[in-house]
Amino acid sequence: MHDRDVSRSGEVRWEEMRVPAGTHTIPVRLYRPEPFRYGWLVWAPGGSWQAASVEQWHETSAELARVSRCTVVSVGYRLAPGHRHPAQLEDVLTVMGWARDLAAREEAAPALSVGGDSAGGTLAASAALVWRDRGEPLAAQVLAYPPLDPSCSAPSYTRMPDAFPSVSRMLTAWRMYRGDRPVTHRRGERLPSTPLEADRFGGLAPAIIAVGDLDPVFDDVVAYARRLDEAGNEVMLRTFARTPHAAILRDSVPAGEGLSVRQWLGTVLRLHLAQHVPESSGS
């Protein structure tokens, strides 16, 4: 399938594809902004590891492509509880390798980034760790309010009792996703279910992180950004005022906030890549 989205911020062509993954294929959607692209962004949608959908995240992915001027690859990874960790992470890593190879064939100097929102942000941060351990170059990790602590014990989880997602919902989501295998090793490779399971945090790709102050995961995200910074990584963190969880699915912003979450993430990624990718290398 081929189609295109057009807005005042530019044109994005998109298509559906399937990426071979041994025992199965992974549905993806490619969003290509025109006329120039800075790099590739593999995006893992949220949905508590149980409801990610490239269709539901279509508008978000297209907007990320328009603003970042990156080719965005939205990943339809396998879902819990039918498939538990590390299935989701393995699918994201498989698509990253596929995108890396495709980008290398299409562009002179491709830059690959990984990102995701909510549960997809957890997968993206974990994938960045695995990519580092493999010695693979990664231009950035783009994280929108990822849940990080399976115990959900930080004060922000109970600061606002009616906030979405509730503690009970998050605890159930973690259990459905992880089962009894929080850290898995495949072929000698460490595959964490959350980046907090990493044995070290240095040498990671620059992190672009967004979280709202009304989000139950707020404390965990801010603490993780601080941990990345203390380990010597480049970190760009923005906390959005009066902003709840799942904000990337909405294009509206509170009065006075300026850019929406997805606009800010795309803009910061574009500016970051523009420092390293000469315009002549784009297509």
Side-chain angles (χ1 to χ4, degrees):
M1 176 186 295
H2 300 268
D3 209 334
R4 62 179 55 192
D5 293 328
V6 181
S7 79
R8 63 181 180 275
S9 57
E11 183 177 276
V12 174
R13 293 183 296 109
W14 65 274
E15 59 183 311
E16 294 181 336
M17 303 180 72
R18 300 193 75 89
V19 176
T23 60
H24 62 289
T25 60
I26 306 165
V28 300
R29 281 192 181 184
L30 268 69
Y31 298 83
R32 300 176 183 267
E34 298 297 343
F36 169 72
R37 299 191 293 274
Y38 281 110
W40 292 61
L41 172 62
V42 173
W43 190 263
S48 300
W49 304 286
Q50 301 170 78
S53 162
V54 295
E55 294 82 12
Q56 186 179 353
W57 266 256
H58 175 81
E59 182 182 346
T60 295
S61 301
E63 180 72 2
L64 284 169
R66 276 192 290 266
V67 177
S68 69
R69 290 168 70 180
C70 289
T71 296
V72 172
V73 186
S74 181
V75 184
Y77 55 82
R78 287 171 289 174
L79 300 176
H83 300 278
R84 289 184 167 168
H85 174 74
Q88 296 81 3
L89 178 56
E90 289 179 319
D91 283 355
V92 172
L93 291 166
T94 296
V95 174
M96 289 172 68
W98 175 84
R100 174 203 59 206
D101 295 343
L102 182 57
R105 292 195 297 270
E106 293 188 359
E107 301 179 32
L112 178 69
S113 301
V114 66
D117 59 285
S118 192
T122 314
L123 297 174
S126 298
L129 286 160
V130 176
W131 218 241
R132 176 205 60 189
D133 293 343
R134 290 180 178 180
E136 294 271 9
L138 192 64
Q141 50 178 320
V142 184
L143 311 177
Y145 44 85
L148 298 169
D149 180 9
S151 72
C152 304
S153 59
S156 59
Y157 283 96
T158 54
R159 191 174 296 140
M160 294 160 289
D162 296 329
F164 170 83
S166 66
V167 173
S168 61
R169 180 169 181 162
M170 281 302 307
L171 290 172
T172 298
W174 277 109
R175 187 168 61 253
M176 293 296 99
Y177 161 54
R178 298 166 87 226
D180 58 358
R181 296 181 298 171
V183 181
T184 302
H185 291 79
R186 292 284 175 88
R187 296 175 292 276
E189 185 171 62
R190 183 184 179 92
L191 299 176
S193 64
T194 165
L196 297 185
E197 294 166 348
D199 54 2
R200 62 186 180 92
F201 294 93
L204 287 166
I208 302 168
I209 307 175
V211 66
D213 64 349
L214 302 181
D215 197 320
V217 306
F218 177 85
D219 289 350
D220 287 347
V221 172
V222 173
Y224 187 61
R226 185 181 305 114
R227 178 175 290 187
L228 292 177
D229 179 69
E230 291 172 348
N233 303 288
E234 181 180 353
V235 179
M236 293 150 276
L237 169 68
R238 176 169 174 183
T239 60
F240 284 75
R242 303 181 301 284
T243 299
H245 198 74
I248 202 169
L249 296 175
R250 299 181 296 276
D251 198 31
S252 59
V253 296
E257 281 302 296
L259 298 176
S260 68
V261 169
R262 63 194 186 199
Q263 289 170 342
W264 181 82
L265 291 171
T267 299
V268 175
L269 178 60
R270 185 185 75 242
L271 295 174
H272 169 68
L273 294 177
Q275 301 175 41
H276 307 287
V277 181
E279 193 150 333
S280 59
S281 70
S283 58

